[in-house]
Amino acid sequence: MDLVQTDVATDRWVLRGLDRLIEALVGRFDEVIGPVVLDGVVRLQPIESADDLPIGIADEQAPATYRLRRDASALRFSYGLGPDSLKSLVHPPRSPVWTMRRRDGSLVVDAAHHPTHERAVIGARACDIDGLRVLERTQTGGDHADPAFRANRNGLFVVAVDCTHPAPTCFCANTGTGPSARDGHDIAMTELETRDGAVYVLRAGSERGRALIDELQLERASSELIRRAAREPGVAARGQPRSLPANAPLIAKLAEHPQWDDVAERCLACGNCTAVCPTCFCTDMEDVVSLDGDGATRVRVWDTCFSMEFSRVGPAPIRGSVTERYRQWLSHKLGTWHDQFGESGCVGCGRCITWCPVGIDLTAEIAALAAPAEAAR
Amino acid sequence: MQHELSSPTIDWPARIERGEPPSLAVWKFASCDGCQLSLLDCEDELLALADRVSISYFPEATTAMVAGPYDVSLVEGSITSEHDAERIRQIRRDSALLITIGACATAGGIQALRNGRDVDGFTSIVYAHPEYISTLATSTPIADHVPVDLELRGCPIDRGQLLQMLASVLNRHALRLPTTSVCIECKARSTSCVMVAHGTPCLGPITQAGCNALCPSFHRGCYGCFGPMESPNVGALRAQLGTLGLDGDAIFRLLNTFNTGAFATAVEEGST
């Protein structure tokens, strides 16, 4: 994204309520995505107005537990992360690759088109925007960039909100990915509660973002509001009980440790962690053939390294046990991701902790792996 | 989603190589007919299917019956009597390809609750004239009696899987059925986890995908009708179901309904 350095450092605007901003987004984009309460969970969904966003909602998250409750605030973003990162928007669960038809005795293949989908997302958190960047490196960084990812990412206008209510499962202060949006957004906001309701202090992150702010003809924020907004990230960062140690990349790569068997006793190998992870990207190809045998469609679908079949090479899976598969996931996410992509694959969102049906906590596993193998026996 | 490659080798006779449609038979054993109905439910695809096969025996759909042998037999239901045990052996002899459809045929069905229990006691309570009842002490899957070429799981089976299976057989391409958990399908269709978000007991994490996570999409826990996934950690899920408030009896009932004994067998065989 084009960063407007001078503006980012200094310029702040104020917005009372979100009606005007969302109206402008709806007018400008094919689709606007934002947080919506659905089945007792904050999900990312298409929205049409500010009224679709939650108001006065708080969440309670713990390993294997997610609950919403009402609170008295007028805030729209007074809760931590839901299960949806931005991954589905750029790397969807199902993505067409090609269709094939029989025509005049030969086979005709049509590659799927990936037109740029002009979408805006509002309420993106810093860790997820960083997850988008990490994922982008995996999907477009090499010699074979994924055109679908590129088209989806290029069309995405990101309105970030600084995370003021992190869940106890997340640890962005530790991973350095939040709670305040630093880059990758077009507009970033800090939500503040005032006597007049929710107020948003805005900053631009790109030319496109600045253009939208100008179009809305917003007032400059007062120094008092700017000071209050600047305090929020520090408050949010202090509330985070979990962390990974600095040597996590080395610990995660320990090939032999009894803790791997210990976690495999508890792990369901269900793949929930990889599905909710903002950076897990593995896929499989699925061919669907018509009954008459004259047409076929190939679709790329999400896969998971927790699947035994995913590791099938030749006649047999090379990671037949859950011990090997959990180790594969964690050692890649925190360890060999550095070797492959030059950084960690974890952005500290904690979704894998909350959405694991049995509450396996990677920070606790790393702590146990850090203990000498002898002591763990 | 991960898939198991399972494409039976089919040596079609010369008449089919010449373009004659394969004959299809649909058989019923101890079952509720729901899986056969899944075939009739393929309304949009029935005409295309009728163009590709010659329906030779399907009493659920038509009284017209053609004697065997058959190129493809779909078998619903479990074996619960000596007569049925003999009948399936004959059907196997008459069928080039034998495909079982549904939890009864692939795992014994709900009626496998009788297995290991006092069946004579049951019949004496249920029937006015138990002396007229001729039944085995067990309800067993078809594969316990004859070799089976392909299995489709579920109670009932998934219509999409049935069509893909028929398309793969008719067009001779690899059929790939998922072996991963139902959770993968919940996440792919953006269904919120009923266990984590609502505290609803769910067998999804240990159950094989294929239904497109139907029950959780209606806010219900998965009841395991597709049977165990590739590496079901029943012990770990059992502990979590206990944490959610289910007692031992309730957990036993959840694990022993639509795939009676299948999850217990998974535990015995070593889940990881």
Side-chain angles (χ1 to χ4, degrees), chain A residues 13-47:
Chain A
W13 294 265
V14 65
L15 184 63
R16 284 169 224 290
L18 290 171
D19 294 334
R20 289 179 59 210
L21 174 62
I22 292 178
E23 221 168 85
L25 294 173
V26 167
R28 186 175 283 219
F29 293 94
D30 299 336
E31 191 174 45
V32 180
I33 310 278
V36 171
V37 174
L38 200 67
D39 300 332
V41 177
V42 175
R43 307 295 313 239
L44 284 185
Q45 292 281 315
I47 58 165

Side-chain angles (χ1 to χ4, degrees), chain A residues 142-179:
Chain A
D143 293 337
H144 304 283
D146 172 19
F149 189 103
R150 269 235 167 103
N152 290 332
R153 178 65 188 96
N154 288 345
L156 193 63
F157 184 89
V158 178
V159 181
V161 66
D162 292 333
C163 196
T164 50
H165 293 73
T169 41
C170 52
F171 47 100
C172 67
N174 169 249
T175 50
T177 49

Side-chain angles (χ1 to χ4, degrees), chain A residues 149-331:
Chain A
F149 189 103
R150 269 235 167 103
N152 290 332
R153 178 65 188 96
N154 288 345
L156 193 63
F157 184 89
V158 178
V159 181
V161 66
D162 292 333
C163 196
T164 50
H165 293 73
T169 41
C170 52
F171 47 100
C172 67
N174 169 249
T175 50
T177 49
S180 184
R182 277 194 298 266
D183 52 26
H185 57 271
D186 296 285
I187 294 175
M189 324 185 283
T190 312
E191 185 180 48
L192 299 170
E193 188 153 35
T194 69
R195 276 192 300 272
D196 307 324
V199 161
Y200 300 85
V201 176
L202 270 60
R203 54 191 193 273
S206 72
E207 296 286 359
R208 289 199 300 174
R210 175 65 196 258
L212 184 60
I213 287 172
D214 287 346
E215 184 184 300
L216 289 170
Q217 298 184 317
L218 301 181
E219 288 170 45
R220 295 278 165 162
S222 68
S223 54
E224 159 65 12
L225 280 178
I226 293 174
R227 264 199 309 278
R228 275 189 65 188
R231 276 200 302 272
E232 290 291 340
V235 175
R238 277 199 297 280
Q240 299 182 358
R242 287 182 164 77
S243 65
L244 289 170
N247 62 347
L250 288 175
I251 296 168
K253 287 202 279 188
L254 285 173
E256 300 294 333
H257 196 290
Q259 187 62 22
W260 297 122
D261 286 331
D262 185 281
V263 68
E265 288 281 307
R266 290 170 279 132
C267 176
L268 298 166
C270 57
N272 274 297
C273 49
T274 61
V276 294
C277 178
T279 69
C280 275
F281 55 79
C282 288
T283 54
D284 186 22
M285 293 292 179
E286 192 176 282
D287 291 346
V288 181
V289 179
S290 66
L291 265 179
D292 62 13
D294 286 338
T297 305
R298 173 161 291 185
V299 183
R300 190 181 65 184
V301 297
W302 281 0
D303 206 342
T304 173
C305 55
F306 281 89
S307 156
M308 182 160 61
E309 286 298 313
F310 177 74
S311 77
R312 182 178 288 276
V313 175
I318 55 169
R319 291 188 287 271
S321 71
V322 177
T323 300
E324 292 160 302
R325 302 207 287 279
Y326 187 89
R327 185 177 61 194
Q328 165 65 26
W329 176 69
L330 193 65
S331 63

